[in-house]
Amino acid sequence: MPETSNTQIKSGGYIANLPSGFIQPTDAVGQRILKDYGALFVARGGAVPPNTAIFKNEAEVSAYQASLSKSNENLGGFSIELQAAAMKKLKDAIAEAKQADLSITPRGADSGKRDYSGTVELWASRVNPGLVNYVSKGKLPQAEANRIKALSPFEQVPEIFKLESQGMFFSKDLSKSIVYSVAPPGTSQHLSMLALDVSEHENAKVRDVLAKHGWFQTVVSDLPHFTFLGVAESQQPGLGLKKVNDGGRSFWLPSL
Ligand SMILES: [Zn+2]
């Protein structure tokens, strides 16, 4: 699968600006992923987004990551790897922040790149306690929980979405959808090496500096999470992205 970096913004909105050869999902899970995480796929500024909404396994992720131009830096004591274009702009943002006595640092060692197994572990860290909880509350039969637990992570995703549609949520505090807490396996923006979880995300000045350098918030209510889109805010509507205001912050989501 040849990935190319886009620089042009085409007329025709979000769909027109997806990578060439992008496999448009036709199933409900894929469409949900596109809606909730899809800003990444129209990234510009030298970014190379994947041409699939969901990586099915480690081999697909490894092949994609191996095809990218990457950059590794020690940031705030952590070794962070990102796509080279995203890292360059991040370092510009860090330098500008420093002028104003602000810092921009990753939250931890897995705040930049992740591999497929990392996303599987995070997914299980929400799904398994959630299942135990709903069984103990009498909302879910033990046999049904066992059946879901035994499925592959890929097969679990529609099952968890189904339970959530019945009011059983799987975020860490069980109050909202799992997609606002951890990404379903193979869908994390961190697999694309175009995302960073930032410690100082609560500082509006930090968010402004990041935005000025092409880093925006694109996953509603995932507060530390920033995505490299490589454009100015004024260019986002041209890419088919819309601004969603939530909790005093701006998030950019596909206009679908
Ligand atoms: Zn993140």
Side-chain angles (χ1 to χ4, degrees):
M1 46 178 184
E3 285 90 10
T4 48
S5 70
N6 292 314
T7 49
Q8 283 180 315
I9 296 177
K10 298 173 194 157
S11 63
Y14 179 74
I15 299 292
N17 283 288
L18 288 168
S20 64
F22 187 81
I23 306 154
Q24 280 210 45
T26 51
D27 62 306
V29 169
Q31 285 172 356
R32 171 97 190 263
I33 295 308
L34 214 55
K35 227 166 169 261
D36 285 328
Y37 298 153
L40 172 101
F41 298 112
V42 293
R44 292 293 187 272
V48 180
N51 61 10
T52 180
I54 305 178
F55 291 107
K56 289 194 180 62
N57 51 49
E58 192 80 68
E60 280 192 15
V61 172
S62 304
Y64 164 73
Q65 290 182 343
S67 75
L68 300 169
S69 168
K70 297 176 276 281
S71 171
N72 198 309
E73 293 283 339
N74 188 305
L75 303 176
F78 298 108
S79 170
I80 297 293
E81 198 175 19
L82 295 171
Q83 288 197 26
M87 182 64 86
K88 185 172 181 299
K89 290 295 187 176
L90 176 63
K91 285 175 71 186
D92 290 349
I94 290 170
E96 185 177 328
K98 205 174 169 192
Q99 305 277 317
D101 272 330
L102 298 168
S103 52
I104 299 174
T105 56
R107 296 182 92 203
D110 70 345
S111 289
K113 172 189 174 181
R114 283 181 202 147
D115 56 16
Y116 184 79
S117 63
T119 69
V120 168
E121 276 170 38
L122 278 172
W123 172 257
S125 77
R126 299 294 185 274
V127 166
N128 294 342
L131 291 173
V132 168
N133 172 74
Y134 293 121
V135 168
S136 76
K137 295 251 164 66
K139 290 185 174 172
L140 188 69
Q142 182 70 59
E144 181 65 356
N146 292 347
R147 184 187 68 80
I148 293 170
K149 208 177 162 188
L151 297 172
S152 73
F154 185 73
E155 293 166 326
Q156 281 179 345
V157 180
E159 301 281 349
I160 296 303
F161 285 179
K162 198 169 129 197
L163 294 178
E164 290 194 334
S165 75
Q166 297 162 12
M168 287 176 254
F169 293 107
F170 283 80
S171 66
K172 196 166 193 175
D173 65 2
L174 306 173
S175 72
K176 60 186 180 185
S177 174
I178 192 168
V179 300
Y180 306 124
S181 188
V182 306
T187 70
S188 171
Q189 292 187 345
H190 292 279
L191 298 171
S192 302
M193 304 175 70
L194 294 170
L196 184 75
D197 297 333
V198 173
S199 291
E200 299 81 3
H201 66 91
E202 287 187 17
N203 188 325
K205 285 181 194 158
V206 165
R207 299 199 298 270
D208 286 347
V209 172
L210 282 165
K212 211 175 136 185
H213 295 278
W215 283 86
F216 296 91
Q217 301 225 261
T218 70
V219 182
V220 171
S221 97
D222 186 348
L223 301 181
H225 183 93
F226 290 77
T227 311
F228 181 68
L229 297 179
V231 292
E233 183 164 311
S234 61
Q235 295 173 292
Q236 314 249 40
L239 286 171
L241 301 179
K242 65 179 176 196
K243 193 196 275 196
V244 174
N245 293 311
D246 186 75
R249 298 197 193 190
S250 301
F251 297 86
W252 289 90
L253 275 80
S255 198
L256 283 171

